[in-house]
């Protein structure tokens, strides 16, 4: 396993981290439960292969993930760095502490190595400033008490808001979305690195969806490899990234990902250039659907047109249908930082097409998107 210096923490972390959000589940008397007979050996196998970081959260796996992670860490607690998250449901520091204490109890541990402000955005972050005893003050108190070792943040907000949070100087590491298709945080990752933060990437294989067979992705290298392997190698070849965090649900996935993360080199400069060139060509094809300029906004029906059409680009251009469908579903169900009405809500008013500098048939494309991504 390859290990990297993690920001200014003085810690070396494995290039692969275990994301504890996709454990095998089972039903017990009509209730969901993690199958610990499968999940715990998964984690132990990863630890044995050199993975020394595991990331969970209070709501993962029907709010059961922390319990299973706590069980798996017995006998490994001094060898594996533990990460979990605080959802920050309000601005009350006492409530923030109660949520931390809940995680400590479920994990059956005295401390958390990397504690994340979960999915924070700039507006929420700004609202915590100047609180008498808000989340930021509570976090400092928890550090002083030794309940958490390092303060981190995960990020799902508009990429333009990232640097302000980094510049606060409050955090030692960050967890951001990044993969071959979603490269919107590429500059932010490089910026965080220059500021001394450790950088971990979530979704390197798009939650597993970039692992589905795609001729477009598999054809990016002369030597054919699986889409999942190429996606992971692409992320790990970025020198500004310390770790790829992968949700792994079976032993084969653990072994294969660990093998990739154990390589000293992932892609040559020539291969990276070739991938960038091919991805640029794909981007040009994507512009037949949308350039993302957002001149069409606002939609009277609340449709985030550019974001919805980006999901269709994944479907048509990059040939990853499951990833496209999941992205669209997240948008219209309010699961991402950007929330949209369904493309089906379009009334064909034509306001967007009047504003579109590309003169795209947006009404037709929205209808096609909804039909394809809900089939």
């Amino acid at each position: 396993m390859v290990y990297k210096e993690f920001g200014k923490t003085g810690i070396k972390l494995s290039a692969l981290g275990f994301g504890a959000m996709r454990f095998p589940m089972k039903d017990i008397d009509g209730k969901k439960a993690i199958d610990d007979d499968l999940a715990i050996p998964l984690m132990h196998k990863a630890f044995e292969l050199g993975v020394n970081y595991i990331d969970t959260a209070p709501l993962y796996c029907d709010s059961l993930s922390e319990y299973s992670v706590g069980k798996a860490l017995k006998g490994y607690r001094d060898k594996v760095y533990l990460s979990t998250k605080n959802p920050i449901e309000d601005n009350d520091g006492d409530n923030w502490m109660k949520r931390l204490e809940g995680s400590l109890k479920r994990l059956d541990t005295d401390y958390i190595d990397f504690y994340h402000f979960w999915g924070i955005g700039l507006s929420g972050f700004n609202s915590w400033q100047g609180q008498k005893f808000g989340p930021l003050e509570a976090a400092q108190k928890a550090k002083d008490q030794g309940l958490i070792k390092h303060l981190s943040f995960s990020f799902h907000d508009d990429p333009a808001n990232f640097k302000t949070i980094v510049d606060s100087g409050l955090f030692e590491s960050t967890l951001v979305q990044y993969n071959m298709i979603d490269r919107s945080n590429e500059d932010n990752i490089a910026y965080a690195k220059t500021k001394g933060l450790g950088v971990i990437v979530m979704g390197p294989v798009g939650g597993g969806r970039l692992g589905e067979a795609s001729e477009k992705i598999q054809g990016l290298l002369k030597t054919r490899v699986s889409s999942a392997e190429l996606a992971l190698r692409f992320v790990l070849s970025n020198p500004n990234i310390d770790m790829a965090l992968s949700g792994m649900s079976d032993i084969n996935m653990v072994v294969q990902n660990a093998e990739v993360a154990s390589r000293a080199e992932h892609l040559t400069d020539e291969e990276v250039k070739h991938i960038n060139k091919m991805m640029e060509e794909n981007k040009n094809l994507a512009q037949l659907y949308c350039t993302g300029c957002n001149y069409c906004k606002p939609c009277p029906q609340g449709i985030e047109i550019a974001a919805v059409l980006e999901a269709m680009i994944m479907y048509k251009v990059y040939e990853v249908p499951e990833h496209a469908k999941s992205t669209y579903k997240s948008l219209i169900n309010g699961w991402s930082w950007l929330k949209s009405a369904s493309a089906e809500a379009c009334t064909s008013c034509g306001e967007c097409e009047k504003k579109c500098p590309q003169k795209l048939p947006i009404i037709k494309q929205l209808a096609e998107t909804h039909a394809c991504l809900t089939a």
Side-chain angles (χ1 to χ4, degrees):
M1 179 63 63
V2 171
Y3 298 88
K4 299 183 180 181
E5 294 285 349
F6 194 55
K8 296 179 179 179
T9 64
I11 293 171
K12 283 192 173 184
L13 293 183
S14 51
L16 176 68
F18 196 109
M21 74 288 285
R22 292 189 175 85
F23 288 137
M25 305 292 288
K26 61 181 180 180
D27 285 324
I28 298 178
D29 297 329
K31 293 183 179 180
K32 289 271 189 176
I34 293 174
D35 191 337
D36 281 335
D37 290 338
L38 298 175
I40 291 175
L42 277 182
M43 290 180 270
H44 287 173
K45 185 64 174 179
F47 301 157
E48 290 161 10
L49 292 173
V51 172
N52 70 349
Y53 183 98
I54 189 164
D55 175 89
T56 182
L59 302 181
Y60 288 173
C61 299
D62 286 75
S63 303
L64 299 171
S65 175
E66 288 183 325
Y67 291 106
S68 293
V69 170
K71 294 173 189 175
L73 284 173
K74 300 304 179 190
Y76 290 92
R77 188 64 188 90
D78 61 340
K79 303 177 185 71
V80 176
Y81 295 97
L82 171 63
S83 161
T84 192
K85 307 176 183 76
N86 194 312
I88 323 178
E89 296 161 355
D90 53 46
N91 288 352
D92 188 301
D94 289 323
N95 289 338
W96 190 96
M97 290 292 290
K98 288 176 183 176
R99 290 189 289 274
L100 167 59
E101 290 161 2
S103 285
L104 288 167
K105 184 176 180 180
R106 289 186 292 272
L107 288 160
D108 194 17
T109 188
D110 296 327
Y111 67 95
I112 292 161
D113 297 288
F114 292 93
Y115 197 53
H116 286 76
F117 276 56
W118 194 1
I120 64 175
L122 185 58
S123 61
F125 180 74
N126 286 339
S127 74
W128 305 328
Q129 311 301 318
Q131 294 282 329
K132 185 175 181 181
F133 186 66
L136 298 176
E137 289 73 23
Q140 186 57 56
K141 178 180 177 181
K143 283 191 73 174
D144 292 343
Q145 293 176 344
L147 300 178
I148 58 178
K149 303 297 184 183
H150 305 280
L151 195 58
S152 310
F153 74 98
S154 64
F155 184 80
H156 296 278
D157 196 10
D158 185 335
N161 294 334
F162 181 85
K163 293 179 181 179
T164 301
I165 298 173
V166 169
D167 288 342
S168 71
L170 296 169
F171 302 101
E172 294 176 85
S173 71
T174 185
L175 174 62
V176 296
Q177 177 87 16
Y178 178 75
N179 54 55
M180 290 179 66
I181 293 178
D182 182 1
R183 299 166 70 176
S184 57
N185 279 307
E186 196 161 62
D187 289 342
N188 287 333
I189 287 168
Y191 185 77
K193 194 70 171 177
T194 67
K195 294 295 183 176
L197 273 70
V199 178
I200 297 179
V201 160
M202 59 180 141
V205 192
R209 292 178 292 275
L210 292 183
E212 62 183 303
S214 165
E215 287 297 321
K216 278 287 176 66
I217 292 176
Q218 289 175 277
L220 289 173
L221 287 185
K222 295 176 182 177
T223 303
R224 288 179 68 85
V225 298
S226 71
S227 299
E229 179 181 330
L230 179 55
L232 187 56
R233 286 170 63 185
F234 175 81
V235 167
L236 292 174
S237 69
N238 187 324
N240 297 312
I241 292 170
D242 298 310
M243 175 190 290
L245 185 67
S246 181
M248 296 176 279
S249 55
D250 64 62
I251 289 288
N252 288 336
M253 197 179 298
V254 171
V255 172
Q256 291 165 9
N257 285 355
E259 189 278 324
V260 172
S262 296
R263 300 177 192 176
E265 301 292 336
H266 295 286
L267 296 172
T268 66
D269 289 343
E270 181 183 353
E271 287 173 330
V272 171
K273 287 177 183 176
H274 177 69
I275 288 174
N276 287 337
K277 178 176 179 291
M278 296 300 291
M279 294 297 275
E280 191 63 31
E281 290 180 10
N282 287 339
K283 183 178 178 182
N284 292 335
L285 287 173
Q287 289 179 356
L288 297 175
Y289 271 88
C290 182
T291 64
C293 71
N294 279 312
Y295 288 167
C296 56
K297 294 180 75 172
C299 166
Q301 306 306 316
I303 302 170
E304 289 289 343
I305 295 169
V308 167
L309 294 183
E310 184 179 2
M312 191 58 176
I313 289 166
M314 295 178 192
Y315 184 91
K316 283 281 190 178
V317 177
Y318 296 104
E319 299 175 3
V320 282
E322 293 309 312
H323 189 44
K325 289 178 180 180
S326 176
T327 298
Y328 181 58
K329 190 174 182 179
S330 293
L331 281 168
I332 64 177
N333 283 290
W335 300 339
S336 69
W337 70 269
L338 190 61
K339 298 171 178 59
S340 174
S342 165
E344 193 178 32
C346 175
T347 61
S348 303
C349 70
E351 289 299 312
C352 54
E353 293 189 355
K354 293 176 186 175
K355 303 174 195 173
C356 178
Q358 308 300 118
K359 305 301 179 187
L360 295 174
I362 296 174
I363 295 169
K364 178 183 175 182
Q365 289 181 354
L366 288 174
E368 181 186 20
T369 296
H370 186 77
C372 288
L373 302 188
T374 57

